[in-house]
Amino acid sequence: MRVVEVRTGVVLDRDGGALAKMLPPFRLGVGGPSPGGASTSHGSSRRSHRLILAAIDEERWSGAINATAPEPVSNRDFSRALGGALGRPSLVPVPGTALRLLYGEMADIVTTGARVVPAKPLVLGYEFQHPQLQEALKSTLAER
């Protein structure tokens, strides 16, 4: 029996996941990089569906599959891209205490991060709709 385990990164969804929690402070101009300089591997919830369907439909896909964009970014670059997409500043680091209040247990993920690359999808020839963070954010924020 073929088994596929799809793993996601920071979810870019304006109505849920990590991005939904980031939007209010960034829209107010008080969002910024978290302490620690972690890497962020992002993926859109809506676009991940395409990858999941490919994993179900294609027999070549098996095992652990990372459903993240091909290029992880630093937390600082993620904050700059989000601030830029919203037309807001994002220079001042957010204190760890504020992150724990906002994200709860997820704060550790935000501060330590993980540099995850979708090696199997790339080897299997999967084409990502928005591989670059800036275009993924613009597309996600424009969706209704």
Side-chain angles (χ1 to χ4, degrees):
M1 174 189 280
R2 182 172 66 96
V3 176
V4 179
E5 177 186 358
V6 179
R7 302 182 294 197
T8 62
V10 173
V11 176
L12 299 183
D13 185 330
R14 62 187 285 161
D15 299 319
L19 182 60
K21 289 188 177 205
M22 291 178 195
L23 286 174
F26 272 85
R27 284 187 172 132
L28 292 172
V30 295
S34 65
S39 288
T40 301
S41 296
H42 58 91
S44 164
S45 66
R46 291 187 175 105
R47 283 163 206 61
S48 292
H49 292 114
R50 287 181 56 241
L51 189 141
I52 292 167
L53 289 174
I56 291 169
D57 291 341
E58 297 182 30
E59 291 292 322
R60 301 178 305 149
W61 294 57
S62 65
I65 304 289
N66 294 325
T68 62
E71 297 180 25
V73 296
S74 70
N75 185 275
R76 171 171 268 125
D77 289 342
F78 186 93
S79 295
R80 284 185 187 149
L82 181 54
L86 295 170
R88 299 286 191 263
S90 59
L91 303 172
V92 180
V94 178
T97 306
L99 288 174
R100 281 186 283 289
L101 287 172
L102 182 63
Y103 297 116
E105 291 179 16
M106 284 185 2
D108 290 337
I109 295 168
V110 174
T111 57
T112 59
R115 185 172 177 79
V116 178
V117 178
K120 282 187 184 178
L122 291 171
V123 167
L124 293 169
Y126 182 79
E127 291 189 31
F128 290 83
Q129 269 186 315
H130 300 291
Q132 304 293 322
L133 175 62
Q134 191 66 37
E135 65 185 62
L137 283 170
K138 285 181 183 177
S139 175
T140 298
L141 293 172
E143 291 175 346
R144 259 291 168 216

